Amino acid sequence: MPAMSENLMRQLQLLPDYLGSHLLITISALSLGIIVCLPTAIAVTRIKKLRWPVLSFASVMQTIPGIALLALMVPLLGQIGFVPALVALFLYSMLPILRNTVTGISEVDPSLIEAARGLGMTSNQMLWKVELPVALPIIIAGIRTSTVWVVGTATLSTAVGAKSLGNYIFSGLHIQNHTSVLVGCIAAALLAMILDSLIRLSEIAVTQRNAFKGGLAALGLIIVLFGGLSSYAFKFDSSESRPIISIGAKTFTEQYILSDLMATMLKDAGFNIDTRSSMGSTILFDALKNGEVDCYIDYSGTIWANHMKRSDTKSADIVLQEMTDWLKEKHGVLCLGAIGFENTYALAVKKGLAKSLELESIADLSKHSPNLLIGSDYEFFSRPEWFAIRDNYNLNFDETVSMDHALMYAAIDANRIDVVTAYSTDGRIAAHDLVILRDPKQALPPYDAVLLLSPQAAENKNLIKALMPIIGSINNQLMQQANMMVDIDKEPTQKAANYLAENIIE
Amino acid sequence: MIELQKVTKSYGSSHSEAVKDISLKVAEGELLALLGESGCGKTTTLKMINRLIEPTSGTISVKGKDITSLDPVTLRRQIGYVFQGIGLFPHMTIAENISIVPELLNWEKDKIRERTAELLALVGLEASQYKNRKPAELSGGQKQRVGVARALAAGSKIMLMDEPFGALDPITRNELQQEFSKLRQELKLTVVLVTHDIMEALLLADRIAVMQKGRLVAVGTPHEMMSLKDDPYVSSLMQTPRSQFEKLDQLLDRKDAGHE
């Protein structure tokens, strides 16, 4: 129990930062949504021709999954962080506000419209004195729906590099820290409920013309805004004196540990740092290219296959050299060097199964594969590496199952799948009693961990000096140990980073 | 006060004429009933007077002025308008509903307050009791009283009424008709009343204009209408009240006979 509360305290320390950013994105997107959608909806009720195109556009935006809409904004807007999150969430907020306002106004009792005209109201007076007030409850209902959706969907903006309560959820899911996931979910739910109630209270205040309730709603809103944003605004102020180095991380344990390690090293060297974790892989690379992220750890095989679009397999040295040259020439990105460990995809099976089927290498799998199930993360089965090993070793599995990386081990434990595509540095390979099958044909490209710097950061001599100790200093065993500390022993990632730091300095 | 000259309203193709070639005069202080079945064009005729509907041809003048020369919004603020749907605004209090037109005309707040109380008293509602209520808290008859008060608010001397008492129960309707009759004589209102209720037309109107399929069939006092024999449509219309009177007479006779 003390461990639990310690964990909780650690999570809550992050709350001002995450909540502030979450609130800022949410409120901005909703305000923009209301400012744009109310006049648009009114125009739609006046010009019938607009109705179909406007509502269809908003509906289409709504059908795009939140995470995809957010991710699409990154290449479209050419940047990461607040702006793409704001635009995506704004698009997401539109439909309920538009549809409810249009419905509310067009369903005002025709006898009221006739009365208003008959009494001599102009079209404008009709709108402000009759149509909008009568439609108000329906319009407010739309805004409330939007609010709840946007607060929820804003958790996904973590993936495009904007901090949010989603940071708790993403990292918590990946390193199996359930406290973190719960803190994120509860904070988001509470925020949604509070904002929803405040809007409802404002509506009651308006319709009942109750100044007390109106004041209460305004006070509540001010408290939420100032409470949420103050720590955030304060942070901006204090950091202006020193340049901020932005460290990126993808969504798995090793990445969280290494970003914490780099953060520690840079802080010690006097840099002011900002960590952007749980980012999508290609989003992170794009962010590095245009300098929104200064440094992160990637893998040679990932750059080779995903960005250089190479499907041939070369030795590790050649891949590293060609990749370094390509990054420099094509994007001005500096590859500072290999960290020392390799985190390749590897096919692993339970020891018992390996023994009974006499499996040593992937080649041994080919005759058994029609009776086996293979599980992997979301991307593997659409990656060139999969096609390479499948075709090289003539694999024909009964079924391929995609799931969250963190769940694969539980699945093979429960015998729901027989083969997993593990990451070779994963501490859970040993912990779950799995064996890695050799790749004698070298069908899988090498996945040397490399430290990449953005074009701007590449000019920063002090930065390079501060990060240089990482290069060539962490071998597979060390990385596996650090991963195990987090995945198996449930230690915080910072502790694993400290462990690495102690072992680097030799 | 109100004059229609050869007024026609057609929709879409010229074949579907809702109102055909109507000429009518309404004198100051007169109540003219437009009587006819539903779809005969009586409501269309009424709505052309305050330009809720624009005629296809012909001219309409109010107080001697061609209404096409007037801004429709200004025109409507000078003419009271009451209809069956009443159209009280549900989000406003009774007082606010009544003060709509004075507010549109930028009257002073005190004057509006005074006027509202005066009007509520005029239509038989206690101001202190009703002014802050919402329309939903009122009965049908009370709502229609407020509707009349609202139409009178800016002191207009002309009233257009479209089936104003149609949705009320017979007792309330009778009561309101009587009160309205008194009220309009006191205020010397010029009224055009659209109705399909022959009894209502006979009891309230100074003159009745009978419409059929968009045309004006006959115009005359209630007495003239009852005795008009040469128009088959009008005499068939008047057959209904006539037979009702006869039936009533019989009932009264029989009752008297029973006493004897």
Side-chain angles (χ1 to χ4, degrees), chain A residues 111-112 114-122 125 129-130 133-134 207 209, chain B residues 47 52 73 76-77 81 83 87-92 96 100-101 104 150:
Chain A
S111 75
L112 296 182
E114 191 189 339
R117 286 187 71 210
L119 287 169
M121 286 193 192
T122 62
Q125 287 164 337
K129 286 178 188 285
V130 180
V134 171
T207 47
R209 280 169 244 182
Chain B
K47 286 182 177 174
L52 285 174
V73 167
R76 287 175 204 147
R77 289 176 189 176
Y81 182 61
F83 66 116
L88 295 185
F89 300 120
H91 58 289
M92 298 181 184
E96 286 165 343
I100 287 170
V101 181
L104 293 176
R150 185 172 69 177

Side-chain angles (χ1 to χ4, degrees), chain A residues 150-467:
Chain A
V150 169
V151 170
T153 313
T155 54
L156 301 175
S157 45
T158 296
V160 296
K163 272 187 197 133
S164 75
L165 294 170
N167 282 53
Y168 281 126
I169 300 169
F170 274 89
S171 66
L173 282 177
H174 284 287
I175 61 178
Q176 304 261 297
N177 182 338
H178 300 300
T179 309
S180 172
V181 177
L182 273 178
V183 169
C185 292
I186 291 170
L190 280 178
L191 181 62
M193 278 163 61
I194 291 170
L195 288 178
D196 184 50
S197 323
L198 287 176
I199 298 171
R200 170 83 184 119
L201 190 62
S202 327
E203 182 199 358
I204 295 172
V206 169
T207 47
Q208 296 182 349
R209 280 169 244 182
N210 186 324
F212 175 70
K213 283 178 185 162
L216 214 60
L219 188 71
L221 213 58
I222 289 169
I223 290 173
V224 169
L225 283 181
F226 273 76
L229 299 180
S230 60
S231 61
Y232 200 62
F234 187 70
K235 195 182 135 230
F236 265 124
D237 272 357
S238 67
S239 59
E240 238 165 342
S241 51
R242 290 184 294 175
I244 303 172
I245 298 299
S246 172
I247 304 166
K250 301 188 192 189
T251 53
F252 45 92
T253 309
E254 176 175 300
Q255 288 275 328
Y256 296 121
I257 298 173
L258 291 171
S259 76
D260 281 348
L261 173 64
M262 288 191 282
T264 309
M265 296 170 83
L266 290 177
K267 267 187 214 157
D268 289 348
F271 285 97
N272 200 357
I273 55 105
D274 181 31
T275 315
R276 311 240 202 169
S277 37
S278 304
M279 289 178 70
S281 178
T282 52
I283 290 172
L284 190 50
F285 184 70
D286 288 341
L288 185 83
K289 281 191 308 193
N290 59 31
E292 286 176 275
V293 162
D294 294 299
C295 55
Y296 80 100
I297 307 286
D298 212 325
Y299 305 90
S300 57
T302 304
I303 305 284
W304 183 262
N306 289 7
H307 300 293
M308 295 166 73
K309 312 278 182 212
R310 300 280 291 260
S311 54
D312 51 331
T313 310
K314 298 254 169 85
S315 76
D317 292 344
I318 295 172
V319 168
L320 196 62
Q321 191 54 52
E322 283 191 28
M323 179 201 75
T324 305
D325 295 344
W326 181 84
L327 284 172
K328 187 82 208 160
E329 271 166 41
K330 190 88 179 171
H331 299 295
V333 165
L334 176 65
C335 171
L336 206 57
I339 309 299
F341 69 90
E342 189 188 12
N343 186 4
T344 178
Y345 277 110
L347 298 197
V349 294
K350 275 188 171 176
K351 271 190 184 142
L353 187 74
K355 210 167 196 177
S356 65
L357 296 181
E358 296 179 338
L359 303 175
E360 269 192 6
S361 78
I362 303 175
D364 300 331
L365 265 180
S366 66
K367 69 170 183 253
H368 297 293
S369 63
N371 303 318
L372 300 174
L373 295 171
I374 183 170
S376 185
D377 57 27
Y378 298 119
E379 54 179 311
F380 184 70
F381 295 120
S382 54
R383 287 176 71 111
E385 295 93 318
W386 166 240
F387 304 124
I389 55 167
R390 189 190 61 188
D391 299 343
N392 267 302
Y393 294 107
N394 198 16
L395 300 177
N396 182 23
F397 283 102
D398 185 28
E399 205 179 319
T400 59
V401 188
S402 295
M403 64 184 79
D404 191 280
H405 175 72
L407 299 176
M408 281 182 347
Y409 299 96
I412 198 167
D413 260 356
N415 291 319
R416 304 297 290 268
I417 49 178
D418 307 302
V419 183
V420 290
T421 62
Y423 304 143
S424 58
T425 50
D426 198 321
R428 286 169 289 198
I429 292 174
H432 286 260
D433 226 16
L434 304 178
V435 287
I436 289 179
L437 301 176
R438 286 186 302 109
D439 175 18
K441 294 190 184 174
Q442 289 197 316
L444 288 164
Y447 275 88
D448 288 310
V450 290
L451 175 51
L452 303 184
L453 298 184
S454 69
Q456 290 87 331
E459 308 282 315
N460 191 335
K461 295 245 160 53
N462 290 332
L463 180 72
I464 292 175
K465 201 175 147 206
L467 288 175

